[in-house]
């Protein structure tokens, strides 16, 4: 796990795009993002229990697994969106980037690799991409039914209750 300000330079989204300006855990906590380096499976089970997450699955994002739709999928994960639920990802193998919006609406990039865990709060604008390795395997935790429909960024979402609650808590 490594976090920094995104450089906003044109080019492949899978490149690091590291501006060289690092971000601290506290700066991520200020926008409601929590992460944990190398939690054991027992710790993840405990976290799931505490938050009422009864279900989980694992997803592999790679050309081997997805074939022709891989490039399309990678592009769609990278369109800016929010969810009405938390997004919890426990990386089991490979690596990828989550970009989240700062209070000043800049991109903060978080590099996640095997054994990192991240929790994004409901209502935060974010996007995901694989890295140059083009391979990530992640555990996705959810409560009953997976509710991670991406809602793409739009002014209309300013009125969404989950977005409003997020803005109220973190700005
Ligand atoms: C997401 O929410 O963008 C994903 O689930 C991508 C694969 S998991 C790192
Ligand atoms: Ni998402």
């Amino acid at each position: 796990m490594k976090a920094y300000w995104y450089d906003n330079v044109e080019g492949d989204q899978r490149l690091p795009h590291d501006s060289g300006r690092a971000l601290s855990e506290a700066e991520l906590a200020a926008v409601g993002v929590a992460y944990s380096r190398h939690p054991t499976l027992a710790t993840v089970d405990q976290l799931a229990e505490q938050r009422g997450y009864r279900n989980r699955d694992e997803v592999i994002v790679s050309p081997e697994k997805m074939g022709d739709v891989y490039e399309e999928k990678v592009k769609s994960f990278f369109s800016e969106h929010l969810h009405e639920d938390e997004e919890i990802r426990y990386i089991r193998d490979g690596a990828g980037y989550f970009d989240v919006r700062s209070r000043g609406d800049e991109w903060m990039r978080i590099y996640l690799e095997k054994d990192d865990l991240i929790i994004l709060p409901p209502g935060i604008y974010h996007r995901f991409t694989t890295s140059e390795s083009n391979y990530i395997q992640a555990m996705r935790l959810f409560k009953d039914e997976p509710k991670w429909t991406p809602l793409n960024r739009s002014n209309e979402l300013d009125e969404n209750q989950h977005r409003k609650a997020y803005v109220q808590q973190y700005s």
Side-chain angles (χ1 to χ4, degrees):
M1 140 85 214
K2 179 182 171 188
Y4 48 83
W5 293 100
Y6 188 76
D7 66 8
N8 293 310
V9 173
E10 290 293 310
D12 194 320
Q13 66 193 50
R14 286 168 280 205
L15 295 172
H17 288 279
D18 188 350
S19 64
R21 292 177 294 135
L23 281 162
S24 67
E25 189 170 347
E27 285 170 294
L28 293 175
V31 295
V33 173
Y35 71 86
S36 174
R37 261 189 84 99
H38 301 183
T40 62
L41 199 50
T43 305
V44 174
D45 289 344
Q46 201 174 37
L47 180 140
E49 173 80 31
Q50 283 162 354
R51 292 176 181 249
Y53 285 79
R54 283 176 285 278
N55 296 309
R56 57 184 68 174
D57 69 5
E58 287 201 12
V59 62
I60 296 177
V61 183
S62 73
E64 286 69 29
K65 200 74 189 175
M66 295 182 159
D68 289 347
V69 302
Y70 173 72
E71 290 295 329
E72 210 177 291
K73 273 280 180 196
V74 163
K75 280 202 187 79
S76 78
F77 288 140
F78 204 61
S79 57
E80 182 171 1
H81 64 276
L82 60 75
H83 308 281
E84 296 190 341
D85 270 359
E86 283 182 326
E87 179 164 334
I88 305 185
R89 299 289 182 267
Y90 180 35
I91 311 307
R92 305 316 301 127
D93 202 8
Y97 300 103
F98 276 94
D99 295 339
V100 301
R101 286 292 188 185
S102 70
R103 291 196 202 185
D105 216 20
E106 301 290 329
W107 285 118
M108 306 159 96
R109 175 159 277 203
I110 304 154
Y111 177 67
L112 294 172
E113 52 195 339
K114 181 171 160 44
D115 293 334
D116 288 333
L117 179 143
I118 191 164
I119 307 177
L120 304 185
I124 192 173
Y125 278 119
H126 66 279
R127 62 188 185 186
F128 169 80
T129 183
T130 44
S131 69
E132 286 170 281
S133 70
N134 287 303
Y135 172 69
I136 191 166
Q137 180 174 349
M139 183 190 289
R140 306 187 289 193
L141 280 71
F142 51 98
K143 286 176 178 159
D144 297 304
E145 294 300 313
K147 274 195 224 153
W148 45 65
T149 311
L151 303 176
N152 286 327
R153 185 163 178 166
S154 80
N155 291 336
E156 281 158 48
L157 280 179
D158 292 352
E159 301 310 319
N160 177 288
Q161 291 312 311
H162 297 83
R163 177 62 187 166
K164 280 167 103 167
Y166 174 79
V167 170
Q168 189 162 32
Q169 189 170 354
Y170 293 106
S171 58

